[in-house]
């Protein structure tokens, strides 16, 4: 489902964020990506949704070689991947409801369906009561949950979450993990970058550790930590 | 790819919202369009009326060919026939020296009567009054007629006509260039004003693209926004020009008897329609140009 071979990414300023990444993730897997700050986790995610192009190497998603995708095809790639961005990327001028509805408007979902689906995911992340709030009126943790709600609302085949529990209290964090687990059980592939050692060590999954832009450890049921 | 009607409604709503949200910028864009339309419209009226003026004058352009004094009637007749059969000649009238004197005296007004005593010793020539099919052919026809041995000389508004043609050609070229230049300027102005508003919407466009919006999806509200800017920006100049022209027309009609402007109806509606179309296109063009750069996500 997700394959990277010898992927390098050098930013225009010369920083080598990825340095020969090799990864293979199958359909339906739940994978933690761990590593110190600056290891290249977010860069790895940006490459998967073609927010960035690799400097070198091969990336395949769902059997599609990203290098072969035309600009016109990219939106359709992105619709199959739900992303919880590390910086949320919410529309600050829009309401909670509008933010999530947007992901459905883009794929031209039936307006009647939009309402039901948005309210459903808001229920899941526990923010139904704040549907009409402006996004700027939310706390960090609430924003994070909206970002999660938007990422899952059109039931993508792959869900990528960049630090989805970073701003959450333990209780909410665990409730979000429960949601991700549930989504995963329905067949969605999940890739989650995280610094939360407690979660990684408790809810055991495959752990891919990255350091200096390289995979240094890849272990099913592994624990948190990135020393090889 | 067909766009669903409901999606279209969404884009329309977004387009309106953008205009309201960026109130001052939208106003600036509309003002740019409005000023452009005022000038373009004024020029359109000027060009239409210059053409009309030329037509009016052109219709009056005639060649007067004077016979030699010693040419007899039958010879005059054959020259008349020959000129009549010329391809570029619309109309020929024979005017003998008596009539010529009448016309001359009439043109002198009440002072003309003193020339009545010339009638016995009339110094004027019998003449042909010729109209060419195309006023631009006047000079050529005049020359050919002059080549006839029976013709002593020809007269036509040689210099005035030439000058008029030069002037009107300049007016047309200059007006055309000015109109095109203004259209480009306003496209540029609009695209820059909208670009300023987009700068603040840059992050939004990035998010749209990252959650899977196609370029056309992102563009569409801007398309509507541009069209609306054009539409609203056109209202005041079109109203102003319409009223202004109608007023000018009736003023000229009352005050200047020998030349009237082109009648407002239906010309004014045609020009208004044209201006509206130009305005909307300029708005759309400007907005699409401005958004282009930000779609690269
Ligand atoms: N846009 C950019 N331009 C230049 N360098 C960048 C850019 N984004 C990231 N980097 C650099 O690339 C490296 C990897 O960054 P990345 O954001 O992928 O790390 P990360 O593993 O997500 O870190 P964190 O855990 O703090 O989120 C870092 O050294 C960072 O400074
Ligand atoms: Mg990161």
């Amino acid at each position: 489902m997700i394959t990277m071979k010898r992927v390098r990414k050098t930013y225009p300023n010369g920083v080598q964020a990825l340095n020969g990444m090799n990864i293979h993730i199958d359909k339906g897997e739940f994978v933690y990506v761990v590593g110190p700050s600056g290891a290249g986790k977010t860069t790895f995610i940006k490459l998967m949704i073609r927010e960035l192009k690799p400097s070198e190497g091969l990336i395949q998603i769902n059997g599609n070689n990203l290098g072969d995708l035309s600009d016109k095809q990219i939106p359709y790639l992105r619709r199959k991947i739900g992303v919880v961005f590390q910086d949320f990327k919410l529309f600050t001028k829009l309401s909670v409801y509008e933010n999530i509805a947007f992901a459905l408007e883009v794929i031209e979902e039936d307006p009647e369906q939009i309402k039901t689906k948005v309210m459903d995911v808001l229920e899941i992340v526990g923010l139904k009561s704040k549907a009409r709030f402006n996004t700027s009126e939310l706390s960090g943790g609430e924003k994070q949950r909206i970002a999660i709600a938007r990422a899952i609302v059109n039931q993508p085949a792959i869900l990528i979450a960049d630090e989805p529990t970073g701003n959450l209290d333990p209780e909410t964090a665990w409730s979000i993990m429960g949601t991700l687990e549930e989504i995963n059980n329905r067949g969605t592939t999940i890739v989650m970058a995280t610094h939360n050692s407690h979660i990684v060590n408790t809810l055991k999954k495959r752990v891919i550790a990255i350091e200096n832009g390289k995979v240094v450890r890849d272990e099913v049921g592994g624990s948190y930590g990135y020393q090889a | 790819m067909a766009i669903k009607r409901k999606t279209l409604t969404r884009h329309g709503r977004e387009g309106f919202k953008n205009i309201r949200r960026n109130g001052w910028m939208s106003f600036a864009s509309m003002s740019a369009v409005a000023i452009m339309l005022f000038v373009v419209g004024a020029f359109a009226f000027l060009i239409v009326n210059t053409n009309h003026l030329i037509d009016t004058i052109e219709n009056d352009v005639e060649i007067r060919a004077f016979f030699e004094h010693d040419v007899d009637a039958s010879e005059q007749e054959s020259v008349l026939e020959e000129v009549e059969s010329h391809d570029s000649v619309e109309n020929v009238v024979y005017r003998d020296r008596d009539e010529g004197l009448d016309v001359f005296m009439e043109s002198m007004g009440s002072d003309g009567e003193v020339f009545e005593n010339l009638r016995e010793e009339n110094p004027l020539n019998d003449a042909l009054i010729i109209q060419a099919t195309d006023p631009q052919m006047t000079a050529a026809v005049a020359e050919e007629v002059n080549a006839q041995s029976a013709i002593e000389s020809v007269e036509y508004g040689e210099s005035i006509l030439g000058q008029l043609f030069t002037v009107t050609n300049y007016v047309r070229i200059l007006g055309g260039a000015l109109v095109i230049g203004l259209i480009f300027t306003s496209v540029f102005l609009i695209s820059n004003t909208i670009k300023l508003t987009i700068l603040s919407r840059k992050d939004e466009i990035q998010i749209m693209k990252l959650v899977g919006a196609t370029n056309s999806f992102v563009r569409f509200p801007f398309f509507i926004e541009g069209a609306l800017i054009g539409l609203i920006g056109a209202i005041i100049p079109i109203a102003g020009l319409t009223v202004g022209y109608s007023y000018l027309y009736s003023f000229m009609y009352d005050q200047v008897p020998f030349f009237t402007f082109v009648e407002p109806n239906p010309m004014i509606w045609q020009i208004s329609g044209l201006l509206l179309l130009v305005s909307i296109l300029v708005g759309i063009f400007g907005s699409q140009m401005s958004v282009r750069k930000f779609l690269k996500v």
Side-chain angles (χ1 to χ4, degrees):
Chain A
M1 174 137 269
I2 302 168
T3 304
M4 287 204 181
K5 284 184 182 150
R6 298 180 307 279
V7 171
R8 281 176 205 283
K9 176 66 196 179
T10 309
Y11 281 106
N13 63 0
V15 173
Q16 286 221 340
L18 293 186
N19 215 334
M21 279 273 276
N22 289 300
I23 273 185
H24 181 81
I25 296 170
D26 273 323
K27 186 168 162 48
E29 278 199 82
F30 193 134
V31 180
Y32 294 122
V33 178
V34 301
S37 186
K41 302 183 293 296
T42 299
T43 305
F44 162 67
I45 288 169
K46 286 182 173 170
L47 286 167
M48 281 194 280
I49 56 169
R50 197 48 153 64
E51 191 180 341
L52 295 175
K53 286 181 184 176
S55 315
E56 249 179 71
L58 180 93
I59 304 174
Q60 278 185 335
I61 306 279
N62 281 333
N64 291 315
N65 201 331
L66 294 203
D68 295 341
L69 288 189
S70 69
D71 284 354
K72 276 204 156 55
Q73 292 171 302
I74 293 168
Y76 303 97
L77 164 80
R78 290 175 178 161
R79 291 174 193 185
K80 293 196 196 98
I81 309 176
V83 184
V84 183
F85 297 96
Q86 193 166 15
D87 55 356
F88 315 135
K89 294 207 191 300
L90 298 174
F91 298 105
T92 49
K93 286 178 191 152
L94 299 188
S95 73
V96 166
Y97 180 91
E98 289 166 329
N99 260 282
I100 301 169
F102 186 80
L104 294 167
E105 283 170 6
V106 156
I107 59 171
E108 300 192 18
E109 176 68 272
D110 187 0
E112 272 99 73
Q113 288 286 305
I114 290 182
K115 187 156 196 300
T116 336
K117 290 192 173 183
V118 172
M119 290 326 262
D120 283 354
V121 286
L122 279 176
E123 173 99 69
I124 291 175
V125 298
L127 282 175
K128 213 171 172 178
S129 60
K130 303 224 161 149
R132 295 286 151 206
F133 277 51
N134 198 294
T135 320
S136 56
E137 299 162 342
L138 300 181
S139 73
E142 285 168 338
K143 282 183 194 156
Q144 190 145 42
R145 284 188 276 162
I146 301 308
I148 292 167
R150 183 181 63 190
I152 62 178
V153 73
N154 58 21
Q155 300 178 319
I158 303 173
L159 178 67
I160 298 172
D162 200 351
E163 291 266 3
T165 59
N167 293 281
L168 302 181
D169 60 276
E171 202 173 315
T172 317
W174 276 111
S175 114
I176 289 297
M177 288 314 293
T179 308
L180 294 187
E181 179 91 323
E182 209 176 289
I183 294 167
N184 178 236
N185 286 339
R186 287 206 300 256
T188 306
T189 310
I190 297 191
V191 180
M192 168 173 159
T194 185
H195 287 300
N196 192 322
S197 57
H198 183 59
I199 286 177
V200 174
N201 293 336
T202 313
L203 188 65
K204 292 277 188 178
K205 302 287 177 190
R206 175 178 171 193
V207 177
I208 296 176
I210 301 180
E211 217 179 332
N212 294 323
K214 264 194 174 125
V215 174
V216 292
R217 187 165 59 89
D218 186 347
E219 199 180 346
V220 177
S223 52
Y224 191 80
Y226 25 84
Q227 261 62 49
Chain B
M1 186 189 68
I3 299 175
K4 286 190 196 165
R5 208 190 74 234
K6 279 164 179 159
T7 313
L8 214 61
T9 320
R10 179 212 171 263
H11 290 315
R13 218 176 41 227
E14 284 300 307
F16 268 105
K17 242 201 281 186
N18 284 346
I19 290 204
R20 262 193 296 124
R21 234 201 264 165
N22 305 293
W24 280 108
M25 285 301 175
S26 308
F27 181 73
S29 300
M30 287 170 196
S31 310
V33 181
I35 290 167
M36 179 273 290
L37 282 193
F38 258 120
V39 181
V40 170
F43 250 90
F45 286 131
L46 184 63
I47 289 174
V48 167
N49 278 291
T50 333
N51 286 347
H52 175 62
L53 175 66
I54 292 168
D55 284 348
T56 315
I57 294 172
E58 277 173 349
N59 287 335
D60 288 345
V61 170
E62 54 177 29
I63 303 163
R64 292 172 302 282
F66 301 105
F67 286 105
E68 300 275 7
H69 281 288
D70 56 3
V71 174
D72 65 24
S74 73
E75 207 173 333
Q76 288 182 349
E77 183 71 20
S78 73
V79 172
L80 171 66
E81 273 165 20
E82 198 176 328
V83 172
E84 227 164 17
S85 65
H86 194 286
D87 276 348
S88 304
V89 170
E90 174 79 32
N91 185 29
V92 191
V93 179
Y94 177 76
R95 182 198 282 164
D96 68 23
R97 65 183 92 173
D98 258 0
E99 276 176 78
L101 187 61
D102 288 343
V103 171
F104 173 71
M105 280 161 55
E106 201 175 311
S107 75
M108 298 299 285
S110 54
D111 298 338
E113 282 163 34
V114 298
F115 293 101
E116 186 53 46
N117 53 23
L118 281 179
R119 202 170 286 279
E120 289 310 304
E121 287 286 314
N122 192 339
L124 300 179
N125 308 49
D126 298 327
L128 292 178
I129 311 300
I130 308 166
Q131 273 200 323
T133 46
D134 177 354
Q136 308 249 13
M137 292 300 295
T138 303
V141 170
E143 212 162 291
E144 279 186 49
V145 174
N146 200 16
Q148 300 265 354
S149 60
I151 299 295
E152 185 199 81
S153 66
V154 296
E155 255 177 31
Y156 64 99
E158 191 167 11
S159 57
I160 300 171
L161 201 63
Q163 277 169 10
L164 193 68
F165 281 131
T166 328
V167 168
T168 51
N169 278 340
Y170 274 129
V171 168
R172 281 177 199 170
I173 293 169
L174 195 78
L178 199 72
V179 164
I180 290 172
L182 274 166
I183 288 175
F184 273 104
T185 312
S186 39
V187 167
F188 177 77
L189 275 176
I190 292 178
S191 82
N192 269 300
T193 347
I194 296 185
K195 205 181 275 170
L196 286 179
T197 76
I198 290 185
L199 226 47
S200 66
R201 287 182 272 174
K202 194 176 151 221
D203 293 341
E204 287 174 34
I205 294 178
Q206 190 209 18
I207 299 171
M208 291 183 190
K209 294 287 318 264
L210 287 181
V211 301
T214 56
N215 283 351
S216 40
F217 189 95
V218 177
R219 273 173 184 274
F220 217 102
F222 289 97
F223 181 91
I224 307 262
E225 184 178 344
L228 276 173
I229 285 176
L231 184 74
I232 300 171
I235 293 174
I236 292 180
I238 285 180
L241 286 168
T242 306
V243 172
Y245 185 79
S246 305
Y247 177 79
L248 200 65
Y249 173 80
S250 45
F251 178 81
M252 285 295 283
Y253 194 89
D254 295 342
Q255 304 293 320
V256 188
F258 53 85
F259 174 70
T260 57
F261 275 18
V262 180
E263 259 194 75
N265 214 345
M267 183 271 287
I268 217 168
W269 305 115
Q270 292 160 347
I271 288 188
S272 296
L274 206 68
L275 291 179
L276 188 65
L277 188 73
V278 167
S279 180
I280 291 176
L281 288 180
V282 162
I284 290 173
F285 223 72
S287 77
Q288 294 302 299
M289 260 175 55
S290 62
V291 78
R292 227 182 61 206
K293 206 178 99 200
F294 299 98
L295 291 170
K296 292 239 166 287
V297 180

